Amino acid sequence: ESAFGGAEASDVCSDEDLLWSILSTTELEGCGMTGTTIYTFVVEDNCGNTNTTTASVIIEDTTVPVFDRLPQTQMLECYPSGNDIALISWLNSNGGAMVSDNCTTELEWDYDLINVTYDCDDNGTRTYRFYVTDECGNVSTADADFIIFDSSPPEITKDAEPFLAECNGASNAIDILSWLNNNGYATAEDICGNVTWTNNYGSIEGDCGTTGDVMVTFTATDECGNASTTAATFTINDTTAPVWEILPQNLEVKCDGNTDPMGRVEAWLNTSGGGEAEDDCSLIVYTN
């Protein structure tokens, strides 16, 4: 800021006629665009006597890089075969950050995973801290989130199948339980997690005997609460005729003039000729 590095000199014989000059300079490179220049100054009186002094101009870099654009949050739908690739790409681009530095032409980037918060399955938020370092070791940091979410319901790969059961006299409980436990034989897949099945089975609405049907909705739910449904009907039919356990027996009435054959015939009719029948699904009504 002042001439000859601010040096001053005096001479007893020629104080007013001193001559200043620069003898030499030495350049010492530093980091980035910094460095040190050493100047050697020479002062000479008018009789040719000289003396020297040195001083340095030092350029330092103590300023951290400046984020012109911070790392950006990345949000992606869960997609197992693509999320890892997307994460690597995002990290390699430093989260889309842009940085400038007045004294450095080359910047070095790094990152750390500093926090993970899981929402459901493997989905959630991963927080990364990005470090950018200039050539003189000055560091700036910024955080950004990589978020994976799941908003897609499971895919029903096979719809529930209707089930038609023949009435067996025991409410067909085993058939119903097997059908329900197999989700109506429906299947579902979810690309991001496991599937849990539920159903809304209540009771069978009766028809004749112990037959009837019920419409059941099966729900496939993934670990993030997304759901898909499929429905089918469980029906109990009765197409089997009653079975005679004892066949009606012939009635022989001998006419002797003293009996009441028609009364005996009426009684025989009212008891179905002594026959007995059974049916698994209904009460027996006898007619003739």
Side-chain angles (χ1 to χ4, degrees):
E1 294 182 1
S2 57
F4 308 111
E8 296 180 357
S10 61
D11 189 270
V12 294
C13 294
S14 53
D15 192 29
E16 296 181 358
D17 297 317
L18 298 176
L19 177 64
W20 285 90
S21 62
I22 299 175
L23 176 63
S24 64
T25 60
T26 302
E27 301 282 347
L28 300 176
E29 292 186 1
C31 54
M33 298 171 62
T34 67
T36 301
T37 303
I38 302 173
Y39 292 87
T40 300
F41 298 98
V42 180
V43 60
E44 182 179 353
D45 63 18
N46 52 13
C47 292
N49 303 302
T50 63
N51 203 349
T52 62
T53 185
T54 60
S56 300
V57 175
I58 302 172
I59 300 175
E60 295 181 335
D61 181 7
T62 61
T63 303
V64 298
V66 176
F67 279 96
D68 301 316
R69 182 188 182 195
L70 290 170
Q72 303 296 297
T73 295
Q74 178 79 296
M75 298 183 66
L76 291 177
E77 179 78 20
C78 176
Y79 189 67
S81 63
N83 291 143
D84 289 343
I85 296 174
L87 173 60
I88 293 172
S89 176
W90 182 72
L91 292 173
N92 288 342
S93 69
N94 309 309
M98 298 180 66
V99 176
S100 59
D101 190 276
N102 289 332
C103 293
T104 296
T105 57
E106 295 183 7
L107 298 170
E108 182 177 341
W109 286 89
D110 202 356
Y111 59 82
D112 281 329
L113 177 63
I114 62 173
N115 189 54
V116 178
T117 302
Y118 289 108
D119 296 330
C120 51
D121 191 34
D122 287 333
N123 301 316
T125 300
R126 294 162 173 80
T127 301
Y128 287 86
R129 178 161 293 161
F130 293 91
Y131 304 85
V132 56
T133 306
D134 65 18
E135 293 178 81
C136 293
N138 303 300
V139 182
S140 289
T141 64
D143 299 345
D145 294 331
F146 188 87
I147 301 172
I148 300 174
F149 63 94
D150 181 5
S151 63
S152 300
E155 178 187 0
I156 301 294
T157 53
K158 181 183 178 185
D159 285 319
E161 298 178 359
F163 193 97
L164 183 61
E166 181 70 17
C167 180
N168 61 13
S171 74
N172 293 91
I174 295 177
D175 292 332
I176 295 173
L177 186 61
S178 176
W179 186 70
L180 293 174
N181 287 343
N182 285 281
N183 312 310
Y185 305 106
T187 59
E189 293 179 353
D190 190 84
I191 62 174
C192 292
N194 297 319
V195 174
T196 301
W197 284 94
T198 56
N199 64 73
N200 67 344
Y201 173 75
S203 60
I204 293 178
E205 296 182 6
D207 190 3
C208 54
T210 56
T211 67
D213 58 46
V214 59
M215 173 70 78
V216 177
T217 298
F218 296 92
T219 302
T221 306
D222 66 18
E223 295 177 62
C224 295
N226 305 299
S228 297
T229 62
T230 179
T233 301
F234 187 94
T235 303
I236 301 175
N237 275 350
D238 180 8
T239 62
T240 303
V243 177
W244 288 102
E245 297 295 325
I246 301 175
L247 292 172
Q249 303 299 303
N250 294 331
L251 174 66
E252 293 184 6
V253 178
K254 183 177 181 180
C255 181
D256 57 11
N258 296 318
T259 60
D260 181 9
M262 292 307 297
R264 293 179 64 188
V265 171
E266 188 67 24
W268 177 74
L269 291 174
N270 290 339
T271 59
S272 304
E276 293 182 5
E278 290 187 359
D279 190 89
D280 288 336
C281 295
S282 180
L283 297 175
I284 301 296
V285 177
Y286 297 92
T287 59
N288 62 70

